[in-house]
Amino acid sequence: MGDAEVELRDHAILPRNQVLELYTECGWSSAAKPDQLLTALANSHTVISAWYGETLVGLGNAISDGALVVYYPHLLVRPAFQRRGIGRRIIKALQTHYVGYHQQVLLAVKDAVDFYQECGFQKACSVEPMWIYDDSDL
């Protein structure tokens, strides 16, 4: 299977069962909240999905004010499809929607910091991430 065989789609219809399989396979806790997860994706400013034939193998989404700031909350690629450039393609496709924005923001789990740095993101030196969240399910 080559990278060229994986097609990116912008705002594709996302079948519920495939979204839940993807999030479950990637170990994301939001799979346990299927209705909220599907609503969150439907309300995203942008969703880029990756397809191998008719199988959803990855996706990323963006939440934005439409002018200055964009936040990239989700980027997932099925483990069997990782390390093939799919995640990088999804991030680049998302970023094409937000060229020139004042801030492009994401929260990277420790294992993903190097990946995001390779995609052009850098650690904030004067800003600390803060949240209200029970991260016991990470």
Side-chain angles (χ1 to χ4, degrees), residues 48-83:
I48 301 292
S49 54
W51 298 83
Y52 181 68
E54 293 304 312
T55 302
L56 177 65
V57 298
L59 72 77
N61 73 324
I63 300 169
S64 177
D65 61 13
L68 288 172
V69 180
V70 60
Y71 170 60
Y72 305 110
H74 297 182
L75 176 63
L76 303 87
V77 176
R78 287 183 191 260
F81 288 80
Q82 291 177 2
R83 303 204 182 281

Side-chain angles (χ1 to χ4, degrees), residues 8-10 46-49 60 72 86-99:
L8 296 187
R9 299 179 189 166
D10 195 339
T46 305
V47 176
I48 301 292
S49 54
Y72 305 110
I86 298 167
R88 190 168 278 105
R89 287 177 57 203
I90 292 170
I91 282 290
K92 294 298 180 197
L94 284 167
Q95 288 181 299
T96 62
H97 291 272
Y98 305 101
V99 172

Side-chain angles (χ1 to χ4, degrees), residues 6-132:
V6 174
E7 173 192 7
L8 296 187
R9 299 179 189 166
D10 195 339
H11 294 289
I13 295 171
L14 299 172
R16 180 184 178 96
N17 64 326
Q18 289 205 49
V19 169
L20 296 179
E21 286 173 13
L22 173 65
Y23 277 75
T24 299
E25 195 171 318
C26 291
W28 281 52
S29 61
S30 49
K33 300 176 180 182
D35 293 333
Q36 293 95 326
L37 172 58
L38 273 290
T39 299
L41 292 173
N43 288 323
S44 295
H45 199 254
T46 305
V47 176
I48 301 292
S49 54
W51 298 83
Y52 181 68
E54 293 304 312
T55 302
L56 177 65
V57 298
L59 72 77
N61 73 324
I63 300 169
S64 177
D65 61 13
L68 288 172
V69 180
V70 60
Y71 170 60
Y72 305 110
H74 297 182
L75 176 63
L76 303 87
V77 176
R78 287 183 191 260
F81 288 80
Q82 291 177 2
R83 303 204 182 281
R84 299 171 192 251
I86 298 167
R88 190 168 278 105
R89 287 177 57 203
I90 292 170
I91 282 290
K92 294 298 180 197
L94 284 167
Q95 288 181 299
T96 62
H97 291 272
Y98 305 101
V99 172
Y101 273 52
H102 183 64
Q103 292 180 358
Q104 294 187 39
V105 181
L106 59 80
L107 295 172
V109 294
K110 290 180 182 178
D111 294 346
V113 170
D114 290 341
F115 167 80
Y116 285 114
Q117 287 178 322
E118 291 170 9
C119 292
F121 291 86
Q122 56 188 332
K123 292 180 182 178
C125 56
S126 62
V127 179
E128 286 291 324
M130 300 176 72
W131 61 5
I132 296 173

